[in-house]
Amino acid sequence: MAERDMDRSVSQTVRAQLTLRDMILSGGLRPGERISELQAVETTGASRTPVRMALVRLEEEGLLEAIPSGGFMVKAFSERDIVDAIEMRGTLEGLAARFAAERGVSVRDLEPLKECLDEIDGLVRQDPISVDAFSAYVALNARFHALLTELSRSPPLIRQIDRASALPFASPSGFVMAQSALPEAHQILLIAQDQHRVVIDAIENREGARAEAIMREHARLAARNLRLALRNKTHIDLLPGLALIKTVAD
Amino acid sequence: MAERDMDRSVSQTVRAQLTLRDMILSGGLRPGERISELQAVETTGASRTPVRMALVRLEEEGLLEAIPSGGFMVKAFSERDIVDAIEMRGTLEGLAARFAAERGVSVRDLEPLKECLDEIDGLVRQDPISVDAFSAYVALNARFHALLTELSRSPPLIRQIDRASALPFASPSGFVMAQSALPEAHQILLIAQDQHRVVIDAIENREGARAEAIMREHARLAARNLRLALRNKTHIDLLPGLALIKTVAD
DNA sequence: TGAACACATGTTGTATACAATTTTGCCAAC
DNA sequence: GTTGGCAAAATTGTATACAACATGTGTTCA
């Protein structure tokens, strides 16, 4: 912790925030555990002021919780919290799809989305999907969701969706893991891909209500699959931010 | 600014945050205006550290925007941002209503909601509604929305809705103003009240999809009315957080 | 007259010192 | 043995000093 890479281009606050977030998400700090400022100072290398700023930001982000008597602790989530977060995010993305459709987007705007989907098609064609292809899929899926969100052209909505994604299990990766952590994973991936295509079609044809409904269904499917995966304990170790869950055992 | 009430029960950070928020919302600080830390120190009476913490929190809250070169400025919102924020909040409340219905709530839980609605009934009975009755209505409406949100029993969703309400024009008060800033205000209030009743009915009967649809419609109506009010410039001065809007003149 | 550079000024990011509050451990009393 | 209280230690909230950076202005040269 002495000779860490002192990148002067970013502030100490940002660096401390990144370091602490990594520690929280990787499970280096247990849920419910109090975070000692001095200890954080040692591990991050920054001084107390930037550490405190980072802690405040992480609290607003939803990863930490303020202790009434002072200081912060790592927030603990229940399994239902996770499912709820995914539905919440999907609901907001549904609104984004509706906005995109109602606002009217040009064919040019939809091109990157379609390219994304074409690339995904190439990946999901193979049935026992390789590990490399899978991580490529995760990245492409995240890209698709981000592009769709942007398409709403609504800064408040985009911001809110970003905030909802701060909870790692509610991020697009969480979507994917939820969909892929079951025996019938491959079929689910195909269904999800179909839904993606239909949403784009709905947006292209200015069908706001339809676009929203599809995205809602997309999210409800992801939530359902995650519920099943949690119950069966299948591959849940793939879920990002797992370290934040209170009791993996029910 | 010398002898402000030094309430030792709350931290300097919280006090600075409240003071600065008031200044922003009341228009004491113009949108796009850079916030000087030293000036904030003078006006709030706190020292630089708590002021900085307050600024970070207000940024996360969405009222401030970070300047790349350092420091913060008051965020500016377009009229469409406001309408979007109201729809966004309504969408999340729709999800809350669905959760409440699906999760199953006892009759006891619904009682406070019904009392709220009964009280509102008493107020909206008079046609030219008095000023006192109107502010009572605003308070009761806020209470109803808060109770409904709580009914979802979903901490992540409740948190997200609270955050969405941080933008003052997206708060329940914003809902009301949007609904009441038109000539046919009284009729609109009656419709809104009807929708409130139907939502409770849907929740009571475990009809999740219906409860959600009604709340969505409730929000879309509010958004539509606000759009009209903004176009006609009728009573838009009643809208909370008006000072944050970039151009009142289109 | 205009543009460019240097300097001065003000502002923010960071570090640290201090004070107050909370927590913890220990000892005594019931 | 348990509980209450007291004291010490640790931790957080606050204030301020310092350093790096950005900004604006004035002067000088083309």
Side-chain angles (χ1 to χ4, degrees):
Chain A
M1 68 201 73
E3 308 306 324
R4 60 175 48 253
D5 53 326
M6 284 292 172
D7 184 353
R8 306 291 294 164
S9 67
V10 294
S11 66
Q12 295 283 71
T13 302
V14 171
R15 224 174 320 153
Q17 189 176 354
L18 291 176
T19 305
L20 289 172
R21 179 165 33 209
D22 279 350
M23 289 182 65
I24 294 167
L25 295 185
S26 66
L29 299 166
R30 298 258 150 237
E33 186 176 337
R34 183 175 198 149
I35 292 201
S36 162
E37 274 186 24
L38 292 180
Q39 195 173 322
V41 163
E42 285 182 16
T43 47
T44 62
S47 88
R48 275 191 65 205
T49 306
V51 164
R52 280 176 74 66
M53 307 265 285
L55 291 177
V56 169
R57 289 199 130 96
L58 289 171
E59 182 207 356
E60 300 286 340
E61 214 171 281
L63 262 44
L64 296 181
E65 202 174 345
I67 299 174
S69 63
F72 301 93
M73 55 182 270
V74 180
K75 201 157 175 175
F77 293 91
S78 71
E79 294 187 357
R80 207 174 81 176
D81 286 343
I82 299 172
V83 180
D84 284 3
I86 286 201
E87 282 224 37
M88 199 167 64
R89 185 170 191 282
T91 302
L92 290 172
E93 285 192 338
L95 186 60
R98 177 190 276 267
F99 279 173
E102 290 180 347
R103 249 80 128 158
V105 293
S106 69
V107 190
R108 263 191 59 82
D109 293 328
L110 286 174
E111 246 171 55
L113 282 287
K114 287 181 178 172
E115 283 173 19
C116 218
L117 293 184
D118 289 343
E119 287 190 58
I120 292 180
D121 267 339
L123 292 173
V124 296
R125 197 161 297 152
Q126 35 182 316
D127 190 344
I129 195 168
S130 73
V131 176
D132 283 352
F134 186 72
S135 45
Y137 172 80
V138 171
L140 281 171
N141 183 68
R143 182 172 157 72
F144 177 81
H145 279 259
L147 286 172
L148 181 62
T149 301
E150 286 289 336
L151 228 55
S152 70
R153 302 260 169 80
S154 174
L157 181 56
I158 293 170
R159 180 187 165 88
Q160 196 82 350
I161 291 178
D162 283 346
R163 307 191 70 102
S165 312
L167 266 35
F169 36 72
S171 69
S173 308
F175 261 68
V176 172
M177 293 308 170
Q179 313 246 9
S180 66
L182 284 176
E184 61 270 30
H186 190 254
Q187 191 188 342
I188 293 174
L189 253 54
L190 291 177
I191 294 175
Q193 176 72 345
D194 278 346
Q195 291 173 329
H196 287 164
R197 289 236 178 257
V198 177
V199 166
I200 296 301
D201 180 70
I203 292 176
E204 201 161 14
N205 289 93
R206 309 275 195 273
E207 300 172 77
R210 182 160 157 253
E212 179 172 17
I214 300 291
M215 282 307 287
R216 283 303 309 273
E217 184 51 33
H218 190 53
R220 294 187 76 76
L221 185 65
R224 187 198 72 107
N225 291 336
L226 178 56
R227 251 191 300 267
L228 288 178
L230 286 172
R231 198 166 306 157
N232 300 352
K233 312 247 182 301
T234 34
H235 294 112
I236 53 174
D237 51 308
L238 291 176
L239 188 72
L242 189 71
L244 294 171
I245 306 178
K246 231 170 318 192
T247 51
V248 175
D250 196 20
Chain B
M1 70 198 74
E3 309 306 323
R4 57 175 51 254
D5 53 326
M6 284 294 172
D7 186 353
R8 306 292 292 167
S9 66
V10 294
S11 67
Q12 295 283 70
T13 302
V14 172
R15 223 173 320 151
Q17 189 177 355
L18 292 175
T19 306
L20 290 171
R21 176 161 38 203
D22 279 350
M23 288 181 66
I24 294 167
L25 295 184
S26 66
L29 299 165
R30 299 256 152 238
E33 184 176 340
R34 183 177 197 148
I35 291 202
S36 162
E37 273 185 27
L38 292 180
Q39 195 174 322
V41 164
E42 286 183 16
T43 46
T44 62
S47 87
R48 274 191 65 206
T49 307
V51 163
R52 280 177 73 68
M53 307 262 287
L55 291 176
V56 169
R57 290 199 129 96
L58 289 170
E59 182 207 356
E60 300 286 341
E61 213 171 281
L63 263 44
L64 295 181
E65 204 175 343
I67 299 174
S69 65
F72 301 92
M73 56 183 270
V74 180
K75 201 157 178 178
F77 293 91
S78 71
E79 295 187 357
R80 206 172 82 174
D81 286 344
I82 298 173
V83 179
D84 284 3
I86 286 199
E87 282 225 38
M88 200 167 65
R89 186 171 192 280
T91 302
L92 290 172
E93 285 194 337
L95 186 61
R98 176 189 276 266
F99 279 173
E102 290 180 345
R103 250 79 126 157
V105 293
S106 68
V107 190
R108 262 191 59 81
D109 294 327
L110 286 174
E111 246 171 53
L113 282 288
K114 288 181 176 172
E115 282 173 21
C116 218
L117 293 183
D118 288 342
E119 286 189 59
I120 292 181
D121 267 338
L123 291 172
V124 296
R125 196 161 297 151
Q126 34 182 319
D127 191 342
I129 195 168
S130 73
V131 176
D132 283 352
F134 187 71
S135 45
Y137 173 80
V138 171
L140 280 170
N141 183 66
R143 182 171 156 72
F144 177 81
H145 280 258
L147 286 172
L148 181 62
T149 300
E150 287 288 335
L151 227 56
S152 71
R153 302 261 170 80
S154 174
L157 181 55
I158 292 171
R159 181 186 163 90
Q160 195 83 351
I161 291 178
D162 282 346
R163 308 193 70 100
S165 312
L167 267 34
F169 35 74
S171 68
S173 308
F175 260 67
V176 172
M177 293 309 171
Q179 312 246 9
S180 67
L182 284 175
E184 60 271 29
H186 189 254
Q187 192 189 341
I188 293 174
L189 252 55
L190 291 177
I191 294 176
Q193 176 70 347
D194 278 346
Q195 290 173 329
H196 286 163
R197 288 236 179 255
V198 176
V199 167
I200 296 301
D201 180 70
I203 292 176
E204 202 162 11
N205 290 94
R206 309 276 195 271
E207 300 173 77
R210 183 161 157 251
E212 179 171 18
I214 300 291
M215 280 310 287
R216 284 301 312 271
E217 183 53 31
H218 190 51
R220 293 188 77 76
L221 184 66
R224 187 198 73 108
N225 290 335
L226 179 54
R227 252 192 299 267
L228 289 177
L230 287 171
R231 198 166 306 155
N232 300 351
K233 313 247 182 301
T234 34
H235 294 111
I236 52 174
D237 51 306
L238 289 177
L239 188 73
L242 188 71
L244 295 172
I245 306 177
K246 230 172 318 194
T247 51
V248 175
D250 196 19

